[in-house]
Amino acid sequence: MRLGLEVRGCFWGREQGASMALDGDSVPRYRQSRGGTREDDDEIAVWDVLYGDPWYELRLLGLQSAGEAGLGVGLAPSELFLADITEYEPSPEVLDAFAARGLEKDFAEALRAVVRAPELQDAAATVDEDGFEHRRAVARAVMAMTHTLASDRGLEVSGIVRDALLASLGDDLYTEGRSLKGLLGKALLAPVGWRGRRRRGAWGDAALPALGDILRYQARGQGVRDQIRRTVENTPGDRITLIAHSLGGIACVDLLVQEPLERVDQLITVGSQAPYFYEIGALVSLEHPGTLPAHFPAKWLNIYDERDFLSYQAGKVFPDRASDHRVDNRQPFPWAHTTYWSNPEVWDAVETWLS
C-alpha cells in the first residue's frame, strides 16, 4: 500500500515539574504495570540483551555441564554439532526470505561471525545428542547480529519479521530426517536464563526523556508546524490525512489545534506523546482541561505499542475524537519505538482505518 503521507521526526524531551492531571489515563496499562509484566515480556527482554551481545545464550550454554556422549559410535555430539554449524549452507528458501527483506548481506556476515565466535566452541563442549538448545542459540545469535547490522545501516526490522525469519532459519539448521525439524522453529522464541521486566508505569513516574530535546521543539516548534502546513497546502486532493510518528504527531496535533486546515479530515499518530503532553500540561497548543476545537479533524487514529515507552493512548484523553489501536512490534525499547513502519499490523490498521 502506497499512501501520500508526511512524517516529521522532531525533537522530544522532558518537561520538569509535570504532574499527571488524569491519573495516568494516557499511559497504556499504567495502573496494571506497577509491579507486573506481560507474559511474553521475558522473551522480548532476551532480545534486548542479544542485540547488544549476540553470544549471550551461547556463553550460558558453555557454562553448563557436558552433554551425554550418546552410544559411543562415530563422532562425539560436540564434533557433530560443530560440523553441522561450520559447514551449514542456508537453503534457497532461507536465502530468499532474508533477501526479500534486504537482509541477505547482513545475514551472511552474521553467519560468518557466529561460526568464528569462540563462544560457539565453548558451547559445543556441552551439547547433547539432539543439540536442540544449542542450535536454537545459534539461530538466535545469527538473527540478533543480523538485526544489529541492519539497524546500523538504518534498516529497521520489526519483531514480527524477525520471528518469521528466525523460525525459517531454525528449521533449516536441522538437517532433513531429524525428528525435531519443525519443532525448533516453534520453540525458538522461548528465552534462556533471563527474567528481565519492563515497568511502564514506573518509567512514566520517573521522567520524560531528554530535557534539551523537548525544549528545542517547545522553543522552536513553530518552524516545524509551518513546514507541515506548507506541505498540506502544496498537496493535491480534496481530503488529506496526516500520518505522523513520535514528536511529529505532537507537531500535527499542535498545528491542527491552532489552525483550521479544511482539507485535513483525518489524523493518524504512531508512537506519539501528544496525549501524555496534554495530560501533564506540556502540550503547546492546548492545556488541560481545555478541549479540542471544533475545526480539529473528527477522525483521529492513534497507534501505540505497550513496549514503546514513548507511545501513549489518546482514546481516554480525547474520547470525543481519538480511537486507539494497539500493535505489537515485538521489540524491546528503544527498537519498539522505531520499527512501526516495518510491522504489517501498523499498515493493516492504517488501511482498515482509511477504507
Side-chain angles (χ1 to χ4, degrees):
M1 178 178 62
R2 300 183 65 87
L3 299 173
L5 54 88
E6 192 73 24
V7 176
R8 288 286 182 261
C10 302
F11 292 101
W12 46 266
R14 178 174 181 251
E15 180 69 20
Q16 291 181 325
S19 61
M20 302 292 283
L22 299 177
D23 196 25
D25 277 349
S26 64
V27 184
R29 295 173 60 86
Y30 179 79
R31 296 172 184 84
Q32 299 96 314
S33 67
R34 293 183 173 180
T37 181
R38 292 179 57 182
E39 291 181 0
D40 55 352
D41 277 354
D42 288 346
E43 170 197 321
I44 303 303
V46 173
W47 286 111
D48 197 5
V49 175
L50 289 173
Y51 291 157
D53 179 11
W55 323 129
Y56 168 71
E57 290 180 329
L58 287 172
R59 190 176 301 110
L60 289 181
L61 291 173
L63 298 175
Q64 293 182 358
S65 301
E68 295 181 5
L71 299 177
V73 179
L75 295 176
S78 60
E79 295 174 303
L80 287 171
F81 169 73
L82 284 175
D84 283 348
I85 301 304
T86 56
E87 298 173 12
Y88 168 67
E89 294 184 4
S91 68
E93 291 78 12
V94 169
L95 293 175
D96 289 345
F98 280 87
R101 298 291 179 175
L103 298 171
E104 62 271 28
K105 293 183 179 179
D106 304 304
F107 171 56
E109 183 176 344
L111 187 58
R112 288 193 297 268
V114 171
V115 170
R116 295 193 301 262
E119 287 84 354
L120 178 65
Q121 301 289 330
D122 294 339
T126 68
V127 73
D128 56 18
E129 269 195 291
D130 64 60
F132 178 87
E133 295 290 344
H134 290 66
R135 283 176 170 78
R136 179 178 69 173
V138 168
R140 287 159 67 90
V142 171
M143 196 64 240
M145 176 159 279
T146 299
H147 178 280
T148 299
L149 292 171
S151 296
D152 287 346
R153 59 186 182 87
L155 179 61
E156 298 296 349
V157 181
S158 75
I160 295 172
V161 171
R162 177 204 63 212
D163 292 348
L165 293 173
L166 177 65
S168 177
L169 173 61
D171 274 351
D172 204 40
L173 277 171
Y174 265 80
T175 58
E176 291 293 334
R178 279 189 177 268
S179 60
L180 289 175
K181 182 175 171 63
L183 175 61
L184 180 68
K186 297 177 183 178
L188 274 167
L189 306 183
V192 176
W194 180 258
R195 291 294 180 269
R197 296 186 178 184
R198 299 293 192 187
R199 292 183 57 195
R200 181 66 191 271
W203 181 91
D205 290 340
L208 288 174
L211 173 62
D213 288 346
I214 186 58
L215 290 181
R216 180 183 178 93
Y217 170 77
Q218 302 290 60
R220 302 290 183 264
Q222 189 59 47
V224 176
R225 296 190 290 273
D226 288 345
Q227 187 170 354
I228 296 174
R229 176 173 42 77
R230 288 195 298 268
T231 301
V232 171
E233 292 171 348
N234 294 327
T235 299
D238 296 330
R239 294 183 299 175
I240 295 174
T241 297
L242 289 183
I243 179 169
H245 174 254
S246 194
L247 195 59
I250 292 179
C252 286
V253 170
D254 281 336
L255 173 64
L256 294 170
V257 168
Q258 293 173 340
E259 302 182 36
L261 301 182
E262 295 181 359
R263 291 189 298 150
V264 177
D265 66 336
Q266 295 191 93
L267 171 65
I268 300 176
T269 52
V270 181
S272 178
Q273 305 88 49
Y276 187 56
F277 276 26
Y278 169 76
E279 183 174 359
I280 66 175
L283 192 65
V284 170
S285 60
L286 188 66
E287 184 176 1
H288 181 273
T291 59
L292 294 172
H295 64 254
F296 194 92
K299 296 184 66 178
W300 175 4
L301 173 65
N302 180 64
I303 298 175
Y304 71 97
D305 181 337
E306 290 182 353
R307 294 189 185 88
D308 173 14
F309 300 159
L310 297 176
S311 70
Y312 293 87
Q313 295 174 155
K316 293 181 179 180
V317 179
F318 303 106
D320 56 334
R321 301 293 175 87
S323 298
D324 289 321
H325 184 90
R326 181 176 64 83
V327 299
D328 188 354
N329 294 328
R330 297 193 59 79
Q331 294 282 26
F333 185 79
W335 293 277
H337 186 63
T338 60
T339 54
Y340 285 98
W341 307 126
S342 60
N343 184 352
E345 289 183 23
V346 172
W347 295 112
D348 288 345
V350 171
E351 189 170 14
T352 299
W353 179 263
L354 294 179
S355 62

